[in-house]
Each structure stands twice: as C-alpha cells, then as structure tokens.
C-alpha cells in the first residue's frame, strides 16, 4: 500500500485517490500551478509513448479506465524516462502496478481533498447565497466535505429553502431516488463499486459503522483490506483519525438505505450477528440497539434485565426506554418497570417517571430503599425538595449497610441542602457515607461524597468541598455512573466559578454538557448548560451565554421543573449588565416565583438579590426585597444578599450603610473562598469611598477579575479606575480598550457626567475628512467664526500637534505678502480672541485654557480638546505596540478602533495647504500600518476573507504597494482561490 502524504510531490510517484466528485483533477492543476506537465487520460493509454526527461511531470487522469495491459505497457517507458508521475484514480492502484515503481508511491486521499467546515460555509455563501453557519455545519456533517455532494446540497437548498426548515435538511429527504445527489451517487460511485464493496457499504449503512473485526464476523474475506479500500476512496470516514471504527458518509448511507434493494433476511442476519458480536465484546448498549432494530423482544428483555442499571448509568437511557416500551407485557416484570421509570426520569420525562414510580410505590407507607431513592430523585430533579423529602422519608432503613440505603440517605441529604436545612443535611450525609463504605459500592460512595460536599458548601469549608467532589468524581467515573459524573462536574465548576477560576471551571463543565447530551438526561443537561452559561457570561461571551440559558429554560420547562429559576436568574444577570432593566426584572420575578413554589433557597436568594438591583424609581420596594433576600440567605448566599442591600442603599446616598454592607459582604466572601463575591464587594466599597480608598479597592478587584479572564468585569473596573483623579496613561489605555469591548458585547457603559455649571464646554474637533468643531456635541456654524483667519489659525495650531508656533510664522502663513504691515500683529490678536471665543462660548475658562499664548508663540492644548486625528494616532500607536508585545486580542481592539476613526485624510476638504502636508502624510502612513497589521492578524488567525479585505483596502490607497500585492496573492492561494490569486 502507498504511503499517505499531504505533500503531493513528496515522491517520484504520487497517487491521488478518491471517489468521483472529490475534485482530484482540479486539485492537481492547482498544485501544479505554472509547472509544465503532460496530461494523459487512462482511457487512451494504449499506444501512447512516454518521452521526456527527469524534470518532466506526467499526469494520468482517470487511471481507473486503463486496462491492466495498457497500463503496464505505458508505465515501463514512463518510469525509464525518469518522469515524475501523478496518477489520478477513483479506485486503488493494483498491487502489481505498485510493485513496479522504483520507490514507494505516496498517496493523497479524501482527507486532503475534502472541504473543511470553513470552506464549506464559504462555498455555500458565495455560490448559493446560503449564509447560515448552522446550516453550513449541517451540510458538512452530511457530506464530510465531499465537494460534489456539497454542491448538490447547496443547489437543492437554494432552490427549495423549505428544506432547511425545522432544524436543517434531512439526509433521507435529500436522498430520495430521483434527486440529483441520489442519481449522481448511484451512477458515478455505487454502480462502479465491486459487488463485495457494495455489500459491505450497505451493511455499514444498516449498522451505522463498521470495523475490520466486525466485517470479519459478518464473513468478509480480507476484512481489513475491504474496510480500508472504502476508507481510502472516501466512502467511509473515521470520526477520530487512526481509530479502527468507520462510519459511512451520511449522504452515502442515506442513498444506500433509501434506494437500496436489500433482502429482509440479509438485514436480519446482519443485525443479529452484529448484536451477538457486541454482546460478546461487552457493548450492551449497541447490542440492545441492534436487537431493537431487529424486533427481537426476547433479546431486548434479556439485555435490559442483565445490564439495565449499567446502561442507565452509562448514558443509554433513551435506548432502554425505547426498548422497554416496545416490549409486550409478558416481558415486563417489576424490575424492568423500575428501570423504565428511572430511564424516563433521565431522558427528561419527569411526569412519566413520577407516574411510573407512583404506580410501583402504590399506597405503601414504607417503601423499599431501591424504589424510595429513585422516586425521590425524580421529584428532587424535577425541582420540588419538599415533596422529594416526603417520598424519601418513606424509605425503609434497616441496618444501613446496603448500596440502596446509602443512596437513599445521600439523596435525602441533597434534598435537605436544597431546602437550606444544614443540620439534617449533615446528619444524612454522614450516615450515607458510612452505609456506602459498609456496602463497598462505588456508585453509592460517590453519591455520599457529593452529599458531604454539599454540607461543606453550607459550612463554608472550600477545602473539604473540593476534596469530597474530587473523590466523588473518581468513584463515579470508575463505576461508569455517567449521571453522577455530570452532577459532580457541574457542582465542581460552580465551586471554581466562586474562586474566579473561570477558564478552569469551563473546562470542568464542558465534558458534563457533552455527557448529558449523549445520554439524553434532560434535567442534568439543563443544569450543566446553566453552569456553562454562567461561565461564558463571566468570560465575556454574552450571546453564547444567553443561548445556553435559554436552552436550559426550555429544558426545565419541558420537564415542568421549578429549577427553571436557575437559568432565569442567569438571564436576569445578563439583561441587568446590558442595561435592560425591564427584561431583567421580568426574568428575576419569574425566577423568584418558581423558587418560592418549591422552597429552593439556592435560586431564591440570587433572584431576590438581582430583583432588588433592577427596581427603578421605588427605593423602598427595592430595600424591602433586599431585606427579604438577607432574611432567607444561608452560607455562601449571604454574600449576594449583602451586596444587593449595599447597591440599593447607594442609590439613596447612605454611604455609611453601604460601607458596612460592603465589609460584611467581603467577610462572607472570604469565609467561603468566594473570590467573585470579594471582587464585587470591593467594587461596592469603592463606590462609597474617597478617591484614594476607591483606587485601592478597584485595583484589588481588577486583579481578581483579570486573574480569571473575566474581561467584561475587568473592563467595568478599568473604566471606573480611569474616571478617578490622577489617572495614569496605562489606566486610560485600559479604559479605552474596555469601552470598546463592553460596547461590542452590548454592555451598558456608565453615563457621561452632565455638564457642570461654571465649567467650560466639551470641545470635539474633527479634521479627518474635513474640519468641524463641535461644542457640547453641536457643530459650530460657519457664521460664528466671523473671520476666516481665526478658523485657519486653529487649523494650523492643530496641524502642529501642540507644539509652539512662532507668531511671525503664523502671520506669514495667514497673511502672506501682507505680513509686514504695521497692524498685522493686532489682527493676529483679534483672530486669537475669536478662536478662543468659539471654543469657549460661555466664557467659563481662563483665556489660555484651549489656546495658550506666550510672548513669542501660540500653541493648542491637546489635553483639553478631543481631536479625532490625535485619537486615531493614539489608538494606532497603542495597537501597534500591543501587537509587538504579543497582545494580539488587545491589539486588534485598538487597531480596529483606529481604523474606524480614520474617516478621510487630514483636512481633506481643503487639501492644498502646504502647512497641513506633514500631518496629512503622517496620518496616511500610520493608516497603512494599521491596515497591514490588521491583515496580518486576521491571516494569522485563519480569517482569510477579512485578511483579503484589509489587503485590498491597502491597494485602494497605494495601488503599487508590492508587499501588499505579494501578501494578497499568498492569502488567496492559501484559501484555494487560485483564479483570484492569478488576477491579483
């Protein structure tokens, strides 16, 4: 077999192998570029003579059309002539031919030829006008990047947009016989496969996957070679490179399944053989799925009875529920009904699960522990701890040394935790651990350690909390208890969030989300999505956080759980941060209602605290709600309640009370290792302190937020720091970057201070694109200047960028030949007075506030004027310095801000004044530096469309910029846009 290669010219002989429609010929032409090559067709090799020298490249396209004899006769002189050969084919090259090569041939296959997800999205957008990235991702999943299939699906979706509705196109709909994609695959791919290959592909489509060992079990000779050949031409792909399992390209599987004519007996035999094989190899979930597909009720019942608990814990609840529901009554005993109820609870049918448990429990006053803890958990996860406690208390405890007794005690402790009963939680947790240890059951012991961690949370013992959760996670994963592992990861992430370790927390919770998705556990998925959303919020990804919270809300509402309060509080927090107080209030009020119904303090306190902070115009009502939060808060929740009380009091101006609440909140946060709460307490303290103390508190809060990569929280503090007297240059830069970040995220910025009576107006001057002066945001009319010379005087001083300009030079520039007239000095004084009057119409400032005058010179005070070209040059310098320092994200923010500011050349409305040329040319040169830097940044991040856009903007300004031309050609070539590269 040839060696695989990504460099098409790595050896003397290169084989480009893939099924029809992978773009082999086009790719070879692109790789060759301007390299001279002789092309042949496999259908016409007979009688061809290969001539040339060692530098010649010879390409044989459609090699699969050549007969064995013609190929052998043609290859011998070609190899002797020393040509470099590129053989393009749809089927593997025969072994005898491979052995005739002087060196091992290298093979370029479908993995190199397939479109990436990004290129798929680009093709669909440009060729078919389909800009939806989710739709592009679905098309890529269906085609695995097979170019011709991508084109067929793009054309179908563009012609009939309804195909993209309801979650995206279905492969079954697109694969119906008579559709272009079905016709193409049948004629160009499936009909030319050998019979054994077609049969193996059909078996793989029926089963969903194939591997060499399973192919051998199904009776295929040389199974490794058979599966390998399907993979080498791109009909099956490995989800993980190097993994032995292969899945058919979904569109291929759909066409084979929809249009194939396959005897039912063959399908039944394949399903039965594969199910037996999976059973022998300890894969009960796959065995159950295949038994169910074969309608083998006895086989399904046997697997569920033997492996039901393992399957539920391992994430196969959907398969168990589906299988049990399909069983006739004679196969469903008490044990299988119990597994059905547990499975219903896992997949989110809480009402069905509770109803099934209620039937199993009947009217018995005392319940077996196995029923009691499962029934109680279903109600607990539904979100009603009080009803859950009523059920859990019905469990009959004896010696407390069995796994079911330990699980009953551990879940009872969790229900007490949710209700805020610390003493009862601790008692049941300790007993649960003792019972689990006596039973020597890892699953029970893991649940007991979770209960002990919940106690540690209420006690404010973060060390014990982390220790118990870590031990619980090890035990749960060792026991294969996926559901418990999800719960533990989500709770661990919540602890890391309190410690402001947001990236670590996100790494912890994301596997929980994936596990919950895979096993279909609606309640656990809703919980882990809510935790993920909270972390995305802290890390500045607000839109993604909103999406996760909304999905969590939908899941909780679907199962009828009052735990919907958790994501509602999260949505309220984001709306509050964005200044949408009405939406935030609605979310908090709904959360409070849900939390009150089920007595869940863990969500009630954050809801009340958030609600108190968004009630506008009614300080008494806000204070009452904050007091209610304080009244019910226990453990770490007190921090949020104290903070809410402080922020509410700040509005009424009671700074002493605010100081006391901020110190109490800080004490509570430190007690529970709540760095997030501590940072918020420091911000509250700063809001009620003098500038010196405020600076210290904000600096400490900023360090906490930055340590956790909480960019928006850090930005809020940076802006507050920059507003204090005596701000340093680096603080002002941080505030500018933060303002851009917060604005882009839709976060409400602090309102600008209103004009103070007796202070000079705010003056903004625009010189980029034309000259305009704005006083308190209003443009100065031309008539206000009275004198053109006063206007030009200000323009000249701005062009000198704050440097003193001698009076004699100003007179020369303004009056030219009349500069020697006796009264010209007086005229300069009049122009100066007029310009000062325009800038300070209320005459509030000293005369030299905006324009300083010395005996010999004049200069403009740049620190008292907002001049757009100075802001542009400052942002550009900041961005280029940050880029040189390796701070690419911050550099992009600053450079993008500079790019937005450049609205035209300096004094573009009057371009012929020589004195303006130095500033104009300097600003133009800096603008080109900004555009180059942005192009380099985007190219380095793989954002090639954006890189091309910036490079073309450079060429609009400087059409003969050779460096920009070369870079543009390189980027277009990297992006596979060879035609555009040639034109560039």
């Amino acid at each position: 077999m040839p060696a695989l290669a990504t460099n098409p010219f790595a050896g003397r002989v290169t084989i480009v192998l893939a099924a029809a429609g992978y773009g082999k010929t086009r790719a070879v032409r692109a790789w060759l570029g301007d390299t001279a090559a002789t092309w042949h067709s496999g259908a016409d090799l007979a009688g061809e003579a290969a001539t040339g020298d060692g530098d010649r490249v010879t390409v044989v396209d459609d090699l699969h059309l050549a007969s064995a004899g013609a190929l052998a006769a043609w290859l011998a002189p070609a190899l002797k002539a020393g040509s470099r050969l590129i053989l393009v084919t749809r089927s593997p090259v025969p072994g005898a031919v491979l052995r005739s090569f002087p060196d091992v041939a290298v093979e370029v296959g479908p993995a190199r030829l397939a479109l990436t997800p990004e290129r798929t999205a680009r093709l669909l957008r440009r060729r078919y006008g389909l800009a939806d990235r989710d739709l592009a991702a679905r098309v890529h999943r269906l085609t695995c990047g097979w170019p011709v299939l991508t084109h067929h699906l793009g054309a179908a979706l563009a012609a009939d947009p309804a195909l993209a509705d309801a979650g995206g196109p279905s492969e079954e709909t697109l694969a119906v016989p008579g559709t272009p994609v079905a016709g193409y695959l049948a004629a160009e791919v499936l009909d030319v496969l050998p019979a054994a290959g077609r049969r193996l592909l059909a078996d793989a489509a029926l089963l969903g996957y194939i591997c060499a060992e399973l192919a051998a079990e199904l009776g295929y000779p040389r199974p490794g070679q058979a599966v390998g050949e399907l993979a080498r031409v791109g009909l099956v792909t490995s989800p993980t490179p190097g993994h032995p399992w292969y899945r058919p390209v979904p569109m291929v599987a759909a066409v084979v399944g929809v249009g194939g004519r396959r005897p039912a007996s063959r399908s039944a035999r394949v399903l039965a053989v594969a199910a037996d094989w999976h059973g022998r190899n300890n894969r009960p979930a796959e065995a159950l799925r295949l038994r169910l597909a074969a309608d083998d009720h006895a086989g399904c019942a046997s697997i569920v009875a033997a492996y039901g608990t393992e399957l539920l814990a391992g994430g196969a609840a959907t398969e168990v529920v589906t299988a049990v529901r399909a069983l006739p009554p004679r196969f469903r005993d008490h044990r299988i009904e119990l597994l059905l109820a547990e499975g219903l609870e896992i997949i989110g049918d809480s009402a069905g699960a509770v109803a099934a448990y209620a039937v199993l429990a009947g009217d018995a006053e005392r319940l077996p522990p196995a029923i009691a803890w499962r029934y109680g958990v279903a109600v607990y996860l539904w979100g009603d701890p009080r009803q859950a406690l009523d059920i859990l208390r019905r469990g009959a405890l004896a010696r407390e040394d069995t796994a079911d007794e330990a699980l009953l005690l551990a879940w009872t402790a969790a229900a007490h935790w949710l209700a805020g009963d610390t003493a009862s939680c601790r008692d049941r947790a300790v007993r649960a651990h003792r019972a689990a240890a006596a039973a020597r059951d890892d699953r029970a012991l893991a649940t007991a350690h979770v209960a002990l961690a919940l106690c540690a949370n209420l006690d404010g013992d973060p060390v014990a909390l982390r220790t118990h959760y870590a031990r619980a996670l090890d035990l749960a994963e060792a026991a294969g208890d996926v559901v418990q592992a999800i719960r533990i990861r989500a709770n661990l992430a919540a602890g890391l969030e309190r410690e402001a370790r947001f990236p670590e927390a996100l790494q912890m919770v994301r596997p929980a989300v994936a596990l919950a998705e895979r096993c279909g556990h609606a309640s656990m998925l809703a919980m882990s999505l809510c935790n993920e959303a909270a972390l995305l919020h802290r890390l500045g990804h607000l839109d993604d956080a909103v999406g996760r919270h909304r999905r969590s809300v939908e899941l909780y509402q679907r199962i009828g759980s009052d735990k919907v309060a958790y994501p509602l509080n999260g949505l309220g927090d984001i709306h509050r941060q964005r200044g949408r107080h009405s939406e935030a209030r609605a979310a908090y009020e709904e959360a409070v209602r849900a939390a009150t119904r089920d007595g869940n303090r863990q969500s009630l306190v954050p809801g009340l605290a958030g609600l108190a902070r968004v009630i506008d115009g009614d300080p008494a009502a806000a204070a009452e709600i904050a007091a209610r939060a304080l009244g019910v808060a226990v453990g770490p929740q007190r921090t949020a309640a104290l903070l809410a009380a402080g922020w509410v009091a700040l509005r009424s101006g009671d700074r002493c009370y605010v100081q006391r609440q901020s110190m109490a909140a800080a004490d509570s946060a430190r007690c529970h290792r709540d760095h997030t709460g501590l940072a918020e307490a420091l911000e509250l303290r700063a809001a009620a302190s003098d500038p010196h103390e405020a600076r210290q508190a904000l600096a400490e809060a900023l360090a906490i937020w930055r340590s956790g990569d909480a960019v928006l929280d850090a930005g809020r503090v940076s802006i507050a720091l920059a507003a204090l007297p005596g701000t340093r240059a680096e603080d002002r830069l941080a505030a500018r970057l933060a303002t851009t970040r917060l604005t882009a995220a839709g976060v409400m910025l602090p309102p600008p201070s209103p004009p103070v009576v007796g202070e000079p107006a705010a003056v903004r001057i625009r010189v980029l694109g034309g000259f305009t002066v704005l006083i308190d945001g209003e443009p100065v009319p031309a008539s206000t200047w009275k004198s053109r010379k006063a206007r030009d005087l200000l323009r000249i001083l701005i062009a000198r960028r704050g440097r003193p300009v001698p009076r004699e030079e100003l007179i020369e520039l303004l009056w030219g030949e009349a500069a020697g007239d006796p009264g010209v000095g007086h005229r300069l004084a009049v122009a100066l007075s007029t310009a000062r009057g325009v800038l300070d119409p209320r005459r509030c400032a000293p005369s030299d506030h905006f324009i300083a005058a010395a005996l010999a010179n004049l200069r403009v005070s740049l620190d008292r004027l907002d001049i757009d070209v100075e802001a542009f040059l400052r942002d550009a310098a900041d961005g280029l310095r940050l880029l040189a320092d390796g701070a690419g994200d911050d550099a992009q923010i600053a450079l993008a801000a500079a790019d937005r500011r450049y609205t035209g050349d300096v004094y573009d409305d009057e371009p012929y004044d020589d004195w303006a040329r130095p500033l104009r040319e300097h600003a133009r040169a800096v603008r080109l530096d900004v555009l180059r830097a942005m192009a380099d940044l985007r190219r380095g991040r793989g954002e090639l469309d954006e890189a091309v856009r910036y490079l073309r903007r450079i060429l609009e300004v400087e059409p003969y910029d050779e460096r920009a031309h070369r870079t543009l050609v390189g980027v277009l070539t990297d992006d596979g846009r060879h035609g555009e590269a040639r034109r560039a």
Side-chain angles (χ1 to χ4, degrees):
M1 179 177 170
L4 294 177
T6 55
N7 178 1
F9 303 124
R12 170 86 179 279
V13 179
T14 298
I15 299 171
V16 183
L17 170 63
Y22 265 100
K24 301 180 291 298
T25 302
R26 181 176 179 178
V28 170
R29 291 190 185 277
W31 295 333
L32 288 171
D34 296 330
T35 303
T38 302
W39 285 74
H40 301 275
S41 169
D44 302 326
L45 283 186
E48 292 278 0
T51 60
D53 54 37
D55 294 329
R56 180 179 296 278
V57 176
T58 301
V59 182
V60 181
D61 202 0
D62 290 331
L63 183 74
H64 52 280
L65 299 178
S67 66
L71 180 58
W74 185 89
L75 276 174
L79 292 169
K80 186 175 181 181
S83 292
R84 175 176 291 160
L85 298 180
I86 301 177
L87 309 178
V88 183
T89 178
R90 295 183 183 182
S91 57
V93 176
V97 174
L98 293 175
R99 289 190 290 273
S100 70
F101 297 149
D103 303 308
V104 175
V106 297
E107 184 172 293
V108 178
R112 173 68 187 268
L113 300 167
L115 302 174
T116 63
E118 293 75 18
R119 291 185 66 191
T120 298
R122 218 158 31 237
L123 184 151
L124 293 174
R125 184 177 67 252
R126 291 175 178 166
R127 184 71 63 87
Y128 301 104
L130 302 170
D132 188 331
R133 295 197 67 83
D134 291 336
L135 180 63
R138 174 122 178 109
V139 169
H140 188 269
R141 189 192 71 76
L142 294 176
T143 63
C144 296
W146 194 329
V148 73
L149 300 188
T150 303
H151 280 285
H152 277 302
L153 265 60
L157 291 165
D160 185 3
L163 289 172
D165 294 342
S170 159
E171 52 261 56
E172 290 79 11
T173 301
L174 295 166
V176 170
T179 59
V181 69
Y184 183 88
L185 284 172
E188 299 292 335
V189 178
L190 302 177
D191 288 352
V192 299
L193 274 180
R198 284 200 304 273
R199 192 165 61 252
L200 178 59
L201 183 61
D203 289 346
L206 175 67
L207 298 173
Y209 47 77
I210 197 67
C211 68
E213 293 81 358
L214 183 51
E217 189 75 12
L218 293 171
Y220 288 94
R222 298 187 296 279
Q225 179 180 334
V227 174
E229 289 184 355
L230 291 180
R232 287 169 65 196
V233 298
L235 294 174
V236 298
T237 64
S238 176
T240 305
H243 198 273
W245 290 92
Y246 293 89
R247 294 185 180 277
V249 172
M251 282 308 306
V252 173
V255 169
V256 170
V258 172
R261 295 178 295 277
R262 185 181 182 86
S265 58
R266 170 68 187 176
S267 296
R269 176 186 171 278
V270 169
L271 290 169
V273 170
D276 286 340
W277 183 78
H278 280 296
R280 292 197 307 274
N281 286 277
N282 196 30
R283 296 188 186 96
E286 283 302 311
L288 178 62
R289 183 180 69 83
L290 296 173
R291 295 288 182 200
L292 184 62
D295 292 327
D296 182 356
H297 295 141
C300 287
S302 175
I303 293 171
V304 171
Y307 299 100
T309 301
E310 177 185 331
L311 288 168
L312 292 176
T318 301
E319 289 81 356
V320 170
V321 169
T322 303
V324 173
R325 280 177 165 168
L327 293 177
R330 68 179 185 276
F331 290 104
R332 294 170 62 163
D333 59 17
H334 181 275
R335 182 175 50 172
I336 287 181
E337 292 291 350
L338 186 61
L339 291 166
L340 172 62
E342 191 173 356
L344 288 169
E345 182 269 314
I346 289 173
I347 66 172
D349 186 358
S350 297
V354 170
Y357 283 124
V359 171
L360 289 166
D363 297 328
E365 186 175 333
R366 307 296 290 171
L367 299 177
I371 292 178
W373 77 259
R374 289 177 170 87
Y375 190 3
V377 167
V379 177
Y380 172 88
L381 294 178
W382 201 0
D384 191 338
R386 289 174 294 202
Q387 186 184 353
L389 276 171
D390 290 340
I391 294 166
L392 291 164
R393 289 188 184 113
R394 291 168 63 188
L397 294 168
R399 298 175 57 182
E400 296 188 8
D401 59 359
T402 66
D404 283 324
E405 288 176 305
L407 288 161
L408 174 60
L409 287 163
W411 282 106
T412 304
H416 283 301
W417 171 80
L418 204 60
D421 186 344
T422 305
S424 298
C425 176
R426 183 181 297 105
D427 172 73
R428 301 311 190 280
V430 171
R431 289 163 61 188
H433 184 264
R434 190 163 54 237
R440 298 183 180 181
D441 184 275
D442 283 351
R443 183 185 186 192
L445 200 55
T447 312
H449 275 289
V450 171
L452 289 169
L454 296 175
C455 292
N457 174 269
L458 289 173
D459 291 340
D461 187 347
V463 175
L465 182 143
R466 296 289 302 280
T467 301
H468 285 302
Y469 272 138
R471 180 66 179 137
L473 185 58
D474 289 342
L475 289 163
E477 290 180 341
D481 189 346
V482 172
V483 173
Q484 194 64 262
I486 294 168
R487 180 185 177 213
I488 294 164
R489 282 187 172 275
N491 289 351
L492 270 172
L496 290 168
E497 180 189 359
R498 278 198 302 274
E499 295 180 29
R501 296 161 64 180
F502 306 120
E504 291 177 66
L506 191 61
Q507 292 282 329
M508 177 63 70
V509 82
R510 277 191 160 151
V513 175
L515 284 169
E517 291 271 21
R518 193 168 71 238
C519 73
H521 197 304
S523 178
M524 288 294 176
L525 178 57
M527 176 188 66
S528 50
L529 281 170
C530 184
N531 285 5
E532 184 185 24
L535 295 164
L536 290 169
H537 178 185
R538 286 298 186 191
L539 292 167
H541 308 294
L542 298 195
D543 291 337
D544 290 339
V546 167
R548 303 298 198 284
H549 276 314
R550 284 178 175 164
R551 190 173 173 212
S552 179
V553 167
E554 291 167 3
L555 287 165
Y556 276 131
Q557 288 178 335
R558 193 184 82 200
I559 64 178
S561 173
D562 282 332
K563 286 189 175 182
V564 71
Y566 290 113
L568 285 170
N569 281 331
L571 286 171
D573 291 342
I574 296 173
H575 292 323
R576 174 165 57 84
Q577 190 174 15
R578 284 178 157 170
R580 302 174 185 173
H581 281 195
S582 296
E583 293 176 79
R585 181 170 181 173
Y588 288 134
E589 287 176 340
E590 188 177 351
V592 168
R593 286 194 296 270
T596 303
R597 278 194 302 268
D598 71 0
N600 183 349
R601 296 191 191 191
Q602 308 300 323
S603 55
L604 177 60
V605 174
L608 291 170
L611 182 59
R613 294 181 63 175
V614 296
I615 290 183
D616 298 319
D618 192 346
E624 183 181 345
I625 292 170
R628 183 183 167 195
L630 274 171
V632 296
V634 295
Q637 303 164 341
R638 283 193 59 78
T639 306
L642 289 162
L643 288 169
W647 285 112
V648 169
L650 185 66
R651 290 187 218 156
S652 62
D654 189 348
R655 291 179 174 268
C656 292
Y657 180 79
V658 174
Q659 286 275 12
R660 291 197 300 273
Q661 295 303 91
S662 69
M663 288 188 286
D667 290 342
S668 172
R670 282 190 292 268
C671 177
H672 294 92
R673 199 185 283 184
D674 183 0
H675 294 196
T676 300
L678 178 59
E680 292 177 351
L682 289 165
E683 289 186 64
L684 177 61
R685 181 174 132 200
S689 301
D690 62 70
H692 175 71
E693 188 178 350
R695 184 177 301 282
Q696 289 182 322
L698 289 173
E700 189 176 349
L702 182 61
I704 293 172
W705 293 131
R706 282 180 173 170
S707 71
D709 290 339
V711 291
L712 300 183
D713 295 297
R716 180 181 64 245
V717 176
S718 294
I719 292 171
L721 268 171
L724 295 174
T727 305
R728 299 171 302 174
E730 55 264 38
D731 292 333
R732 291 194 294 271
L733 169 58
R736 290 196 300 273
L737 294 172
T739 298
T740 303
R741 280 199 197 91
L742 268 61
T743 302
V747 173
M748 182 179 67
L749 298 173
S753 300
V756 178
V757 176
E759 288 193 0
V763 180
R764 293 176 57 204
I765 300 177
R766 297 174 183 164
V767 303
L768 292 170
F771 179 69
T772 306
V773 176
L774 297 97
I775 306 296
D776 287 334
E778 295 296 324
V780 173
S783 59
T784 304
W785 289 98
K786 300 178 183 177
S787 162
R788 171 64 186 257
K789 299 301 182 183
R791 182 174 177 274
D792 286 347
L793 171 63
L794 181 59
R795 293 173 63 233
I796 293 168
L797 294 175
I798 289 170
R800 295 300 172 88
R801 303 191 62 199
R803 293 188 297 274
V805 185
R807 289 176 180 262
E808 292 80 2
E809 183 179 351
L810 288 169
I811 290 171
E812 179 71 28
L813 292 172
L814 290 168
W815 284 279
E817 293 181 358
D821 291 354
V824 75
H826 174 68
R827 282 190 272 174
L828 176 61
V830 171
L832 172 61
S833 177
T834 302
R836 283 173 167 171
V838 169
L839 298 179
D840 185 17
R842 297 194 291 265
R843 305 292 182 179
C844 298
S847 60
D848 63 350
H849 183 76
F850 293 114
I851 302 175
L855 186 63
N857 54 59
L858 306 178
R859 66 175 179 84
V860 71
S861 299
L862 294 181
D863 57 335
R864 291 168 179 167
L865 296 168
D866 181 0
I867 303 173
D868 62 352
V869 70
E870 295 296 332
F872 160 74
L873 293 170
R874 180 191 64 220
D875 285 345
D878 289 341
L880 294 169
R881 177 175 57 78
L882 289 165
L883 185 61
D885 292 342
D889 290 342
D890 284 345
Q892 182 166 318
I893 291 173
L895 292 169
D899 184 34
R900 287 192 299 272
R901 289 185 188 278
Y902 199 95
T903 55
D905 288 342
V906 172
Y907 297 136
D908 205 22
D909 53 344
E910 299 178 66
Y912 303 113
D913 293 314
D914 289 341
W915 49 261
R917 185 178 298 116
L919 178 59
R920 181 182 298 121
E921 292 181 352
H922 176 57
R924 280 172 60 94
V926 171
R927 183 203 181 192
L928 290 174
D929 290 340
V930 167
L931 294 175
R932 284 194 185 92
M934 289 296 282
D936 291 343
L937 268 171
R938 295 306 182 98
R939 185 183 188 184
R941 293 176 176 178
E943 300 170 4
L944 302 187
D945 281 350
E946 285 298 302
V948 167
R949 185 171 69 86
Y950 281 109
L951 289 165
R952 285 184 167 147
R953 288 179 60 195
I954 293 172
L955 293 172
E956 287 173 7
V957 179
E958 293 289 345
Y960 302 106
D961 189 317
E962 184 179 350
R963 174 184 165 193
H965 271 293
R966 287 200 307 269
T967 305
L968 177 61
V969 170
V971 173
L972 290 169
T973 302
D974 291 345
D975 200 24
R977 296 153 69 176
H978 301 286
E980 291 181 70
R982 283 193 294 272
R983 289 191 294 275

